[in-house]
């Protein structure tokens, strides 16, 4: 059986020649966007499907609150705060204007309602109240924002406040960085309890809220996420939408108007849903075990590493999976050792090279083990 399995693996590899070309990037179309800076990416893989001056540093306005919300949601999910906790507004928080819900000094509101106000109507006063609640001061919270940005690899982002309300040359981001922090935020399903709200209320129904992101109302599958405007930043939007289990992030910065930024975001999302889909990098069926020479075990199970999905054109052929494995391994084998490659192609285009890994340790057999095996074979075991 082991010899037959080895032969099968070898024939499987040799019968389908492995292409020599590297993984090929997707091509993007020239889209008619009015905004000077934009980007489109897929959430699961982070694959960029379109970009336009995506690394230009500029003020992000209230899209800043994507990072504010990310920290707050992470705090909730880590148990550092609870949705039912009561937050008391300070005089400073209550003093904030712009988009706000007119908190009064000493007014109390739940964490859940604060998150709702920040997400739905971009409430600056609630953002500051929450920053003070979790970090003591907004300044300390902003330090956390910048540390989290560094952890996410956002090389062109720096925050000086948690709202984006103020014009400050030291407060900047880019379309790419905003897309990456937005991608991280929508990994948390909690945020969608708020970002998908069109209309709601607080204070027992006395104060109505309507989402500043109009796409939530009319764009099919919209899951959020955050709008922004100042006279310097102009009209900004991080928009997210999901259909059929695939979710995309579209960021538009420095739009000329609300209608213009919404039109650009719609163009990006429509392009994504019409032209791309997710391809699994895990073929159906189980991977074979691989024989191991001179090991304490006769074979080792295999698993696939790397990404589980890739973005592919909808117009392409069905994916083809080609497994490249040696006929056998020599002990010792360690868990996580790369032992082969799964090549995934779509027509002539290579989608991915997925590492095949050993799923268990197989130590080398010692002299005593060899002697025992020889003795057992002589007596027919």
């Amino acid at each position: 059986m082991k010899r037959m399995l080895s032969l099968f693996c070898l024939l499987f590899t040799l019968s389908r020649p492995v292409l020599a070309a590297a993984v090929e990037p997707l091509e993007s179309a020239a889209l008619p966007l009015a905004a000077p800076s934009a980007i489109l990416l897929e959430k699961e893989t982070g694959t960029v499907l379109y970009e336009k001056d995506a690394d230009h540093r500029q003020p992000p306005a209230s899209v800043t609150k994507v990072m504010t919300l990310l920290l707050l949601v992470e705090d909730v999910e880590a148990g550092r705060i609870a949705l039912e906790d009561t937050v008391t507004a300070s005089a400073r928080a209550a003093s904030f204007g712009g988009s706000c819900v007119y908190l009064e000094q000493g007014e109390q509101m739940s964490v859940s309602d604060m998150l709702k106000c920040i997400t739905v109507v971009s409430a600056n006063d609630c953002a500051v109240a929450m920053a003070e609640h979790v970090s003591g001061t907004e300044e300390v919270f902003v330090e956390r924002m910048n540390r989290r940005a560094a952890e996410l690899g956002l090389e062109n982002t720096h925050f000086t406040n948690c709202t984006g309300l103020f014009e400050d040359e030291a407060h900047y981001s880019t379309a790419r960085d905003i897309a990456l922090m937005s991608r991280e935020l929508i990994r948390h399903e909690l945020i969608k309890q708020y970002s998908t709200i069109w209309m709601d209320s607080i204070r027992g129904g006395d104060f109505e809220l309507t989402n500043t992101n109009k796409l939530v109302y009319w764009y099919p599958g919209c899951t959020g996420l955050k709008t922004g405007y100042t006279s310097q930043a102009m009209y900004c939007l991080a928009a997210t939408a999901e259909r059929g289990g695939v979710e995309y992030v579209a960021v538009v910065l420095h739009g000329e108007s609300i209608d213009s930024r919404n039109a650009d975001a719609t163009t990006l999302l429509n392009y994504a849903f019409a032209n791309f889909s997710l391809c699994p990098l895990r073929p159906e069926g189980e991977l074979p075990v691989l024989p191991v020479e001179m090991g304490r075990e006769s074979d080792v199970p295999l698993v696939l590493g790397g990404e589980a999905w890739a973005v592919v054109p909808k117009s392409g052929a069905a994916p083809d999976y080609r497994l490249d494995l040696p006929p056998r391994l020599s002990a010792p084998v360690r868990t996580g050792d790369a032992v082969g490659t799964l090549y995934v192609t779509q027509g002539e285009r290579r989608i991915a090279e997925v590492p095949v890994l050993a799923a268990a340790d197989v130590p080398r057999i010692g002299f005593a083990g060899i002697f025992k095996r020889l003795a057992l074979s002589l007596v027919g075991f």
Side-chain angles (χ1 to χ4, degrees):
M1 179 61 71
K2 292 173 186 173
R3 289 180 180 177
M4 290 178 64
L5 180 59
S6 298
L7 182 61
F8 168 79
C9 291
L10 183 60
L11 290 175
F12 187 88
T13 301
L14 296 179
S15 63
R16 311 275 315 262
V18 175
L19 301 177
V23 174
E24 300 174 38
L26 291 168
E27 295 184 2
S28 63
L31 300 179
L33 299 187
S37 182
I39 196 167
L40 170 69
L41 61 80
E42 190 276 323
K43 182 194 80 171
E44 185 69 30
T45 64
T47 302
V48 174
L49 303 173
Y50 173 89
E51 60 180 278
K52 178 182 180 181
D53 200 14
D55 296 310
H56 175 63
R57 292 180 177 182
Q58 53 196 306
S62 281
V63 182
T64 295
K65 297 186 182 79
V66 169
M67 181 59 78
T68 301
L69 288 165
L70 175 60
L71 293 184
L72 296 177
V73 167
E74 288 177 341
D75 281 351
V76 171
E77 294 189 348
R80 290 186 285 269
I81 56 175
L83 295 176
E84 303 79 21
D85 289 350
T86 298
V87 180
T88 303
S90 69
R92 183 171 185 274
S95 70
F96 272 72
S99 298
C100 62
V101 295
Y102 308 103
L103 289 176
E104 295 184 0
Q105 181 180 356
E107 182 176 358
Q108 295 186 325
M109 191 177 291
S110 69
V111 167
S112 181
D113 278 354
M114 287 280 185
L115 289 174
K116 183 194 303 183
C117 294
I118 298 168
T119 309
V120 176
V121 297
S122 196
N124 295 313
D125 46 2
C126 291
V128 174
M130 282 302 304
E132 294 173 343
H133 180 72
V134 299
S135 295
T137 68
E138 183 185 4
E139 290 76 14
V140 174
F141 186 81
V142 170
E143 291 175 4
R144 288 183 58 196
M145 293 171 68
N146 287 316
R147 286 198 301 271
R148 193 71 179 96
E151 290 169 359
L152 293 173
L154 310 185
E155 298 179 353
N156 292 298
T157 293
H158 185 264
F159 301 109
T160 60
N161 60 79
C162 71
T163 63
L165 177 62
F166 304 108
E167 308 288 3
D168 185 341
E169 291 184 359
H171 186 96
Y172 55 82
S173 191
T174 66
R176 188 184 312 278
D177 283 3
I178 290 169
L180 292 173
M181 67 179 86
S182 298
R183 178 193 179 206
E184 191 68 21
L185 178 57
I186 59 174
R187 290 177 184 272
H188 303 274
E189 288 299 316
L190 173 61
I191 193 59
K192 295 178 185 178
Q193 295 181 24
Y194 306 103
S195 62
T196 56
I197 292 172
W198 171 236
M199 297 185 72
D200 207 329
S201 62
I202 55 172
R203 300 182 177 118
D206 291 338
F207 191 94
E208 294 185 352
L209 308 173
T210 301
N211 205 317
T212 58
N213 180 12
K214 307 309 178 187
L215 272 64
V216 170
Y217 177 70
W218 60 262
Y219 190 82
C222 183
T223 55
L225 185 63
K226 193 69 202 70
T227 62
Y229 170 81
T230 64
S231 58
Q232 183 179 2
M234 297 296 288
Y235 295 91
C236 306
L237 175 62
T240 56
E242 180 178 8
R243 298 179 195 168
V246 186
E247 192 164 12
Y248 295 100
V249 179
V251 175
V252 176
L253 298 183
H254 210 82
E256 294 181 355
S257 66
I258 292 176
D259 288 343
S260 177
R261 78 180 178 193
N262 289 349
D264 283 348
T266 299
T267 295
L268 289 168
L269 294 172
N270 284 346
Y271 171 67
F273 286 118
N275 291 282
F276 301 99
S277 62
L278 280 180
C279 169
L281 302 183
R282 302 293 186 264
E284 295 182 0
E286 296 182 0
L287 293 174
V289 295
L290 202 54
V292 179
E293 294 179 340
M294 299 300 291
R296 290 185 186 176
E297 303 294 336
S298 58
D299 51 50
V300 62
L302 305 177
V303 295
L304 294 171
E307 297 291 338
W309 300 90
V311 178
V312 297
K314 281 186 175 181
S315 59
D320 185 32
Y321 302 90
R322 304 179 184 183
L323 191 62
D324 182 17
L325 291 174
R328 64 189 60 81
L329 299 173
S330 297
V333 178
R334 295 177 179 82
T335 301
D337 282 352
V339 299
T341 304
L342 175 71
Y343 294 95
V344 187
T345 57
Q346 186 182 43
E348 296 300 315
R349 177 179 171 270
R350 181 171 295 177
I351 297 170
E353 298 176 5
V354 184
V356 181
L357 310 176
D361 290 337
V362 181
R364 187 173 180 83
I365 193 170
F367 177 78
I370 296 174
F371 180 79
K372 181 178 179 181
R373 284 187 184 177
L374 178 61
L376 290 173
S377 66
L378 291 176
V379 297
F381 285 94

